[in-house]
Amino acid sequence: MADSTTIKEKELWGHPIGLYVLFLTEMWERFSYYGMRGLLSLYMAAELTDAQGPGLGWTNAEALKLYGWYTMLVYLMSIPGGMIADKLLGQKRSVLIGAIILVLGHGTLAIEELWAFYTGLILIILGVGMLKPNISTMVGGLYGKNDIRRDKGFSIFYIGINTGSLLATTTVGLVVAKWGWHAGFGLAGIGMLLGLIVYIWGQKYLVHVGNKTSDEEIKDQVAISQLFGSLMKSPKHLVIVSGLIALSIYYGGFVLSEIDHWAYMILFIFLSLVVGMLMMIYKSLRSQIEKDRFLVVLLSFMLVIVFWGAFEQAGGLMNLYTNDYTNRMLFGWEVPTIWFQSLNAGFIILFAVAVANYWAKRKLKNKEASSLFKMATGTIIMGLGFVFMVFAVMDYNANGSSAMYWLVLAYFFHTIGELSSSPVSLSFVTKLAPVRYASLMMGLYFASTGLGNKVAGLLGESASEYGEYTIFAGITIFTVVFGLLVITILKPLKRLTHGAEDKERLMHSDEA
């Protein structure tokens, strides 16, 4: 029997075998998530007499409102998920529990009852919150400091995410067409069950990552209760947080007139407390280097929110636009709407390694290839993809329907932007985040993704008032300007990282 040292050093195709265990686990988890996500807005907006079985019969605006809340909460729950892993269970056990909850959630969605619909969504929110930040942290833990393979490892991991998405969006649509909406939800649950089985089988390759925090490490950490205890003793910070909470109550409770204004109030209060927690984390850091890097990570979260606020139109507004306004006839056959969701995943599988290699070669040639530069560039490229959605709207206004190739071009640009930004931002957090707050910071990353999803939902809702042309054009302008702004201040931002990415080189597991 191989000892643990042998397991630790064993590699496959230049990477630890544990990467491929996490790859397959995440692949099936994303199969379940994207399979369900591709159906969600369509199912809610489908008529009660729909040919694929009764939908919920909601308006597009109502469907996009719930879609925005759901996709935000899925990722916002990564904050408590990361905290539970840091303080109680460790990442490895948290991923296991999350996978089990997800199997139950997707299985519940297969039941044709309204209570099952809401219950299933709640379980999926809880399950993703436990699994998503912690499995990504485990990927980072497979690589040593300054190992240039880390970004490539995350890109390979990202291929797993999008292989699952591709499988889901190409198969679930066919299942729904033949057996109805809830059969599609059930298929997503089967995929998650396969992911759980793979993860349990692969534990022998994950011996040295994701373990429960030792007593010594716990002593070195700052508990969340301590952070808020410190907040109560810091008058300046307490005034700031109290003011934000008061503003949240006033705005959410008395100014907003939407039906879900109380939900907004709770969200704003929660974010106010997160701001307080972040201020106390900053105060607890032991060196100026840690503090500077922490600030850069927080800025990167702004890029994440902007990126996903635009990108997540794919599952919401773009999905409904495809269904309602796009000519989907191909050789006499109507292409299922959900199949267009597979374009992004298919392009990622085709181009992920090429994009990662391009940036790695730039880095080795001492050309600008910092994570912040890649994230900003990716945001710009993704934003330019919405130019083709503007053309699609113009095509529809002129001809009564828009051509499919506009969607293909839009998804292609979105994919190249995503490959330059998203896996890199995951890796960036693991490089700069203080070790004591590793999972919590990864949770905050996914919470930023969730806020971006909520922004996407709000933008989608506003299309009913302002029109798709205005929304798509506005997204293009804002993302390009924001990305260029980050690039203009790149040098001072890189100084604040204190050379965290300056010594990256090719390493192997025995060095790591």
Side-chain angles (χ1 to χ4, degrees):
M1 180 181 292
D3 60 27
S4 62
T5 304
T6 304
I7 293 172
K8 180 182 178 183
E9 294 178 353
K10 196 169 184 181
E11 293 183 356
L12 179 65
W13 299 316
H15 291 271
I17 289 183
L19 173 65
Y20 303 102
V21 173
L22 299 177
F23 171 103
L24 290 171
T25 304
E26 182 73 346
M27 183 188 81
W28 288 115
E29 187 273 329
R30 291 290 92 180
F31 174 92
S32 66
Y33 178 77
Y34 282 108
M36 188 277 292
R37 191 200 75 162
L39 301 180
L40 187 58
S41 59
L42 298 176
Y43 169 67
M44 290 187 288
E47 299 294 336
L48 297 174
T49 56
D50 192 83
Q52 296 169 337
L56 296 183
W58 295 1
T59 66
N60 283 0
E62 290 170 336
L64 289 170
K65 183 183 288 289
L66 181 61
Y67 178 84
W69 279 111
Y70 165 71
T71 52
M72 179 195 72
L73 290 172
V74 158
Y75 291 108
L76 208 60
M77 285 303 296
S78 294
I79 295 178
M83 290 163 57
I84 290 170
D86 275 343
K87 300 297 180 182
L88 298 174
L89 302 176
Q91 292 110 23
K92 190 155 49 183
R93 194 173 298 174
S94 296
V95 169
L96 177 63
I97 293 172
I100 293 171
I101 296 173
L102 282 169
V103 171
L104 296 174
H106 286 289
T108 304
L109 279 180
I111 301 172
E112 297 186 32
E113 297 288 345
L114 190 59
W115 68 263
F117 175 71
Y118 288 115
T119 302
L121 292 183
I122 291 170
L123 288 172
I124 293 171
I125 288 168
L126 296 174
V128 174
M130 288 292 288
L131 184 146
K132 192 66 179 166
N134 296 309
I135 197 169
S136 300
T137 304
M138 289 174 68
V139 173
L142 293 170
Y143 299 93
K145 186 178 180 182
N146 297 325
D147 189 345
I148 200 172
R149 296 181 305 163
R150 183 189 297 255
D151 281 5
K152 285 189 179 182
F154 272 102
S155 291
I156 292 171
F157 182 68
Y158 217 68
I159 293 175
I161 291 173
N162 289 279
T163 301
S165 174
L166 179 62
L167 290 172
T169 49
T170 52
T171 58
V172 171
L174 295 176
V175 169
V176 169
K178 188 169 181 63
W179 290 292
W181 298 107
H182 293 278
F185 291 136
L187 180 61
I190 293 172
M192 189 60 245
L193 180 61
L194 291 173
L196 175 60
I197 293 170
V198 168
Y199 185 70
I200 293 172
W201 168 83
Q203 290 299 295
K204 59 187 175 182
Y205 299 111
L206 302 170
V207 174
H208 296 280
V209 292
N211 295 309
K212 183 178 179 181
T213 308
S214 68
D215 292 338
E216 286 299 316
E217 289 172 321
I218 289 176
K219 290 178 183 178
D220 189 48
Q221 292 180 348
V222 179
I224 301 303
S225 59
Q226 288 178 283
L227 290 174
F228 284 105
S230 300
L231 178 62
M232 300 303 293
K233 299 174 184 177
S234 178
K236 179 176 67 174
H237 298 103
L238 185 59
V239 167
I240 294 173
V241 174
S242 299
L244 289 173
I245 292 175
L247 186 61
S248 300
I249 294 172
Y250 171 72
Y251 185 72
F254 303 100
V255 175
L256 286 178
S257 58
E258 284 84 355
I259 191 171
D260 53 352
H261 67 102
W262 294 110
Y264 277 108
M265 186 184 75
I266 294 170
L267 172 63
F268 295 151
I269 292 173
F270 174 77
L271 293 176
S272 299
L273 294 173
V274 170
V275 169
M277 183 180 67
L278 291 175
M279 288 191 297
M280 291 301 102
I281 289 175
Y282 181 82
K283 191 176 179 180
S284 74
L285 297 177
R286 296 165 177 163
S287 69
Q288 191 59 46
I289 291 177
E290 275 193 336
K291 290 182 177 183
D292 289 346
R293 288 177 174 175
F294 182 74
L295 292 176
V296 176
V297 171
L298 293 184
L299 177 69
S300 75
F301 290 162
M302 294 299 297
L303 269 166
V304 170
I305 292 171
V306 170
F307 182 90
W308 291 107
F311 183 89
E312 269 302 313
Q313 299 303 320
L317 182 59
M318 286 177 67
N319 204 18
L320 293 172
Y321 184 90
T322 303
N323 192 63
D324 297 339
Y325 304 122
T326 302
N327 180 1
R328 294 180 281 116
M329 298 305 296
L330 185 65
F331 304 118
W333 177 68
E334 188 174 52
V335 180
T337 300
I338 192 175
W339 276 23
F340 288 89
Q341 300 285 299
S342 68
L343 288 170
N344 172 245
F347 285 141
I348 281 178
I349 292 168
L350 289 174
F351 297 108
V353 173
V355 172
N357 283 337
Y358 168 78
W359 288 113
K361 288 178 181 177
R362 278 184 63 91
K363 180 76 174 180
L364 294 173
K365 292 178 180 178
N366 294 319
K367 295 182 179 180
E368 181 58 66
S370 63
S371 293
L372 288 171
F373 179 75
K374 287 186 275 189
M375 291 165 67
T377 302
T379 300
I380 293 170
I381 295 171
M382 182 274 302
L384 291 174
F386 282 96
V387 171
F388 300 106
M389 293 308 300
V390 172
F391 291 153
V393 176
M394 294 170 64
D395 191 7
Y396 173 79
N397 291 336
N399 303 304
S401 66
S402 59
M404 289 186 286
Y405 56 75
W406 297 123
L407 286 165
V408 174
L409 289 168
Y411 279 119
F412 175 75
F413 272 72
H414 290 181
T415 300
I416 300 303
E418 182 183 4
L419 288 171
S420 296
S421 178
S422 188
V424 172
S425 58
L426 278 170
S427 179
F428 189 60
V429 173
T430 65
K431 293 173 186 175
L432 267 70
V435 175
R436 291 175 294 160
Y437 301 107
S439 290
L440 176 59
M441 294 305 293
M442 189 61 76
L444 287 168
Y445 165 81
F446 285 112
S448 302
T449 302
L451 291 174
N453 278 259
K454 182 57 181 170
V455 171
L458 291 172
L459 289 172
E461 289 176 52
S462 64
S464 61
E465 180 178 356
Y466 298 106
E468 287 84 0
Y469 182 94
T470 301
I471 299 302
F472 292 142
I475 291 173
T476 300
I477 294 169
F478 184 81
T479 50
V480 171
V481 171
F482 189 83
L484 290 173
L485 177 63
V486 172
I487 290 174
T488 59
I489 60 172
L490 191 62
K491 286 186 177 180
L493 290 177
K494 286 176 66 177
R495 283 197 295 269
L496 291 175
T497 67
H498 294 276
E501 298 181 299
D502 290 348
K503 298 179 181 179
E504 292 182 332
R505 61 189 177 87
L506 186 63
M507 298 173 69
H508 297 284
S509 291
D510 54 346
E511 293 180 273

Short mmCIF file of all heavy atoms in Angstrom, two decimals, residues 2-3 6 33 41 58 85 92 122 149 159-160 181 207 226 259 280-281 289 320 332 336 350 378 383 385 415 440 501:
data_model
loop_
_atom_site.label_atom_id
_atom_site.label_comp_id
_atom_site.label_asym_id
_atom_site.label_seq_id
_atom_site.Cartn_x
_atom_site.Cartn_y
_atom_site.Cartn_z
N ALA A 2 0.52 2.21 -0.84
CA ALA A 2 1.31 3.44 -0.92
C ALA A 2 1.10 4.25 0.32
O ALA A 2 0.02 4.38 0.86
CB ALA A 2 0.89 4.24 -2.16
N ASP A 3 2.20 4.86 0.81
CA ASP A 3 2.04 5.73 1.97
C ASP A 3 1.55 7.09 1.53
O ASP A 3 1.44 7.40 0.36
CB ASP A 3 3.36 5.83 2.76
CG ASP A 3 4.50 6.39 1.94
OD1 ASP A 3 4.25 7.15 0.99
OD2 ASP A 3 5.65 6.08 2.26
N THR A 6 3.73 9.13 -0.91
CA THR A 6 3.63 8.74 -2.31
C THR A 6 2.37 9.32 -2.94
O THR A 6 2.39 9.83 -4.05
CB THR A 6 3.60 7.20 -2.43
OG1 THR A 6 4.75 6.68 -1.79
CG2 THR A 6 3.58 6.77 -3.88
N TYR A 33 -26.20 22.01 -11.48
CA TYR A 33 -26.55 23.42 -11.32
C TYR A 33 -26.95 24.07 -12.64
O TYR A 33 -28.00 24.72 -12.74
CB TYR A 33 -25.38 24.20 -10.70
CG TYR A 33 -25.66 25.67 -10.56
CD1 TYR A 33 -26.49 26.14 -9.54
CD2 TYR A 33 -25.15 26.60 -11.46
CE1 TYR A 33 -26.77 27.50 -9.41
CE2 TYR A 33 -25.44 27.95 -11.34
CZ TYR A 33 -26.24 28.39 -10.31
OH TYR A 33 -26.53 29.72 -10.20
N SER A 41 -35.57 29.99 -15.48
CA SER A 41 -36.33 31.14 -15.95
C SER A 41 -37.37 30.73 -17.00
O SER A 41 -38.47 31.28 -17.04
CB SER A 41 -35.39 32.22 -16.52
OG SER A 41 -34.62 31.70 -17.59
N TRP A 58 -45.56 32.75 -14.93
CA TRP A 58 -45.17 34.09 -14.47
C TRP A 58 -44.79 34.96 -15.66
O TRP A 58 -44.48 34.48 -16.74
CB TRP A 58 -43.98 34.00 -13.52
CG TRP A 58 -44.27 33.28 -12.23
CD1 TRP A 58 -45.44 32.70 -11.84
CD2 TRP A 58 -43.35 33.07 -11.16
NE1 TRP A 58 -45.31 32.13 -10.60
CE2 TRP A 58 -44.04 32.34 -10.15
CE3 TRP A 58 -42.03 33.40 -10.94
CZ2 TRP A 58 -43.44 31.96 -8.95
CZ3 TRP A 58 -41.42 33.03 -9.75
CH2 TRP A 58 -42.13 32.32 -8.76
N ALA A 85 -16.31 25.94 7.29
CA ALA A 85 -15.14 25.14 6.95
C ALA A 85 -13.91 25.58 7.74
O ALA A 85 -13.14 24.76 8.24
CB ALA A 85 -14.86 25.23 5.44
N LYS A 92 -12.76 19.75 3.26
CA LYS A 92 -13.06 18.44 2.70
C LYS A 92 -14.42 17.93 3.18
O LYS A 92 -15.24 17.45 2.38
CB LYS A 92 -11.94 17.47 3.07
CG LYS A 92 -12.02 16.15 2.34
CD LYS A 92 -10.66 15.48 2.23
CE LYS A 92 -9.91 15.42 3.53
NZ LYS A 92 -8.56 14.84 3.37
N ILE A 122 -34.23 26.22 -1.94
CA ILE A 122 -33.59 26.52 -0.66
C ILE A 122 -32.47 25.52 -0.37
O ILE A 122 -31.36 25.90 0.04
CB ILE A 122 -34.63 26.51 0.48
CG1 ILE A 122 -35.57 27.71 0.34
CG2 ILE A 122 -33.94 26.54 1.84
CD1 ILE A 122 -36.76 27.66 1.26
N ARG A 149 2.00 26.53 -11.98
CA ARG A 149 0.96 25.59 -12.42
C ARG A 149 -0.39 25.91 -11.80
O ARG A 149 -1.41 25.37 -12.25
CB ARG A 149 1.34 24.16 -12.04
CG ARG A 149 2.59 23.61 -12.70
CD ARG A 149 2.83 22.18 -12.26
NE ARG A 149 2.89 22.10 -10.80
CZ ARG A 149 2.76 20.95 -10.12
NH1 ARG A 149 2.53 19.82 -10.75
NH2 ARG A 149 2.84 20.96 -8.80
N ILE A 159 -12.35 23.73 -16.83
CA ILE A 159 -12.84 22.87 -17.91
C ILE A 159 -13.85 21.87 -17.34
O ILE A 159 -14.86 21.56 -17.97
CB ILE A 159 -11.68 22.14 -18.60
CG1 ILE A 159 -10.80 23.15 -19.36
CG2 ILE A 159 -12.20 21.09 -19.58
CD1 ILE A 159 -9.56 22.53 -19.97
N GLY A 160 -13.57 21.36 -16.13
CA GLY A 160 -14.51 20.46 -15.48
C GLY A 160 -15.85 21.12 -15.26
O GLY A 160 -16.91 20.53 -15.51
N TRP A 181 -40.68 19.34 -17.71
CA TRP A 181 -39.79 20.14 -16.88
C TRP A 181 -39.19 19.35 -15.71
O TRP A 181 -37.99 19.42 -15.45
CB TRP A 181 -40.54 21.36 -16.33
CG TRP A 181 -41.05 22.30 -17.36
CD1 TRP A 181 -42.35 22.47 -17.73
CD2 TRP A 181 -40.29 23.20 -18.18
NE1 TRP A 181 -42.45 23.42 -18.73
CE2 TRP A 181 -41.20 23.89 -19.01
CE3 TRP A 181 -38.93 23.48 -18.28
CZ2 TRP A 181 -40.79 24.85 -19.94
CZ3 TRP A 181 -38.52 24.44 -19.19
CH2 TRP A 181 -39.43 25.11 -20.00
N VAL A 207 -5.67 13.50 0.74
CA VAL A 207 -5.29 13.32 2.15
C VAL A 207 -4.72 14.60 2.75
O VAL A 207 -4.97 14.92 3.91
CB VAL A 207 -4.26 12.17 2.27
CG1 VAL A 207 -3.74 12.07 3.70
CG2 VAL A 207 -4.89 10.86 1.84
N GLN A 226 -15.11 37.25 17.72
CA GLN A 226 -14.08 38.20 18.16
C GLN A 226 -14.07 39.44 17.29
O GLN A 226 -13.87 40.56 17.78
CB GLN A 226 -12.70 37.53 18.12
CG GLN A 226 -12.47 36.48 19.19
CD GLN A 226 -11.10 35.85 19.04
OE1 GLN A 226 -10.87 35.01 18.19
NE2 GLN A 226 -10.17 36.28 19.87
N ILE A 259 -42.43 44.71 -4.17
CA ILE A 259 -43.07 43.72 -3.31
C ILE A 259 -42.05 43.02 -2.41
O ILE A 259 -42.37 42.55 -1.32
CB ILE A 259 -43.85 42.69 -4.17
CG1 ILE A 259 -44.74 41.82 -3.27
CG2 ILE A 259 -42.88 41.83 -4.99
CD1 ILE A 259 -45.69 40.93 -4.04
N MET A 280 -12.85 44.88 10.48
CA MET A 280 -12.19 44.26 11.63
C MET A 280 -11.12 43.25 11.19
O MET A 280 -10.09 43.10 11.86
CB MET A 280 -13.22 43.59 12.53
CG MET A 280 -14.15 44.56 13.25
SD MET A 280 -13.24 45.75 14.31
CE MET A 280 -13.27 47.22 13.29
N ILE A 281 -11.37 42.57 10.08
CA ILE A 281 -10.33 41.68 9.54
C ILE A 281 -9.10 42.50 9.17
O ILE A 281 -7.96 42.13 9.50
CB ILE A 281 -10.85 40.91 8.31
CG1 ILE A 281 -11.88 39.85 8.73
CG2 ILE A 281 -9.69 40.22 7.56
CD1 ILE A 281 -12.52 39.13 7.56
N ILE A 289 2.02 44.42 4.68
CA ILE A 289 1.92 43.63 3.44
C ILE A 289 0.58 42.90 3.39
O ILE A 289 -0.11 42.92 2.36
CB ILE A 289 3.10 42.62 3.36
CG1 ILE A 289 4.41 43.37 3.13
CG2 ILE A 289 2.85 41.61 2.23
CD1 ILE A 289 5.63 42.47 3.09
N LEU A 320 -34.21 34.31 -22.15
CA LEU A 320 -35.58 34.65 -22.55
C LEU A 320 -35.61 35.31 -23.92
O LEU A 320 -36.53 35.08 -24.71
CB LEU A 320 -36.20 35.57 -21.50
CG LEU A 320 -36.45 34.92 -20.13
CD1 LEU A 320 -36.90 35.97 -19.12
CD2 LEU A 320 -37.48 33.80 -20.21
N GLY A 332 -35.10 23.16 -40.96
CA GLY A 332 -36.45 22.72 -40.69
C GLY A 332 -36.72 22.23 -39.28
O GLY A 332 -37.82 21.77 -38.98
N PRO A 336 -33.62 23.76 -29.51
CA PRO A 336 -34.10 24.08 -28.16
C PRO A 336 -33.37 25.29 -27.58
O PRO A 336 -32.16 25.44 -27.75
CB PRO A 336 -33.79 22.80 -27.36
CG PRO A 336 -33.68 21.71 -28.37
CD PRO A 336 -33.13 22.37 -29.61
N LEU A 350 -13.00 24.14 -25.70
CA LEU A 350 -12.13 24.28 -26.87
C LEU A 350 -10.95 25.21 -26.62
O LEU A 350 -9.84 24.96 -27.10
CB LEU A 350 -12.94 24.78 -28.06
CG LEU A 350 -13.94 23.80 -28.68
CD1 LEU A 350 -14.77 24.51 -29.75
CD2 LEU A 350 -13.22 22.60 -29.29
N GLY A 378 -10.32 40.63 -19.45
CA GLY A 378 -11.44 39.71 -19.62
C GLY A 378 -12.78 40.42 -19.52
O GLY A 378 -13.72 40.11 -20.27
N GLY A 383 -17.52 42.33 -22.23
CA GLY A 383 -18.44 43.44 -22.49
C GLY A 383 -18.65 43.68 -23.97
O GLY A 383 -19.76 43.99 -24.42
N GLY A 385 -18.78 41.54 -26.18
CA GLY A 385 -19.70 40.54 -26.71
C GLY A 385 -21.13 41.05 -26.79
O GLY A 385 -21.91 40.59 -27.65
N THR A 415 -17.06 34.03 -23.62
CA THR A 415 -16.22 32.92 -23.18
C THR A 415 -14.75 33.32 -23.09
O THR A 415 -14.08 32.99 -22.10
CB THR A 415 -16.37 31.73 -24.15
OG1 THR A 415 -17.74 31.32 -24.18
CG2 THR A 415 -15.50 30.56 -23.72
N LEU A 440 -12.92 31.82 4.17
CA LEU A 440 -13.81 32.96 4.30
C LEU A 440 -13.63 33.91 3.11
O LEU A 440 -14.62 34.40 2.55
CB LEU A 440 -13.54 33.70 5.61
CG LEU A 440 -14.34 34.99 5.83
CD1 LEU A 440 -15.84 34.71 5.79
CD2 LEU A 440 -13.94 35.65 7.14
N GLU A 501 3.04 37.77 -7.21
CA GLU A 501 3.06 36.98 -8.44
C GLU A 501 4.39 37.11 -9.19
O GLU A 501 4.51 36.65 -10.31
CB GLU A 501 1.93 37.45 -9.37
CG GLU A 501 0.54 37.26 -8.78
CD GLU A 501 -0.56 37.70 -9.73
OE1 GLU A 501 -0.60 38.88 -10.10
OE2 GLU A 501 -1.37 36.84 -10.11
#
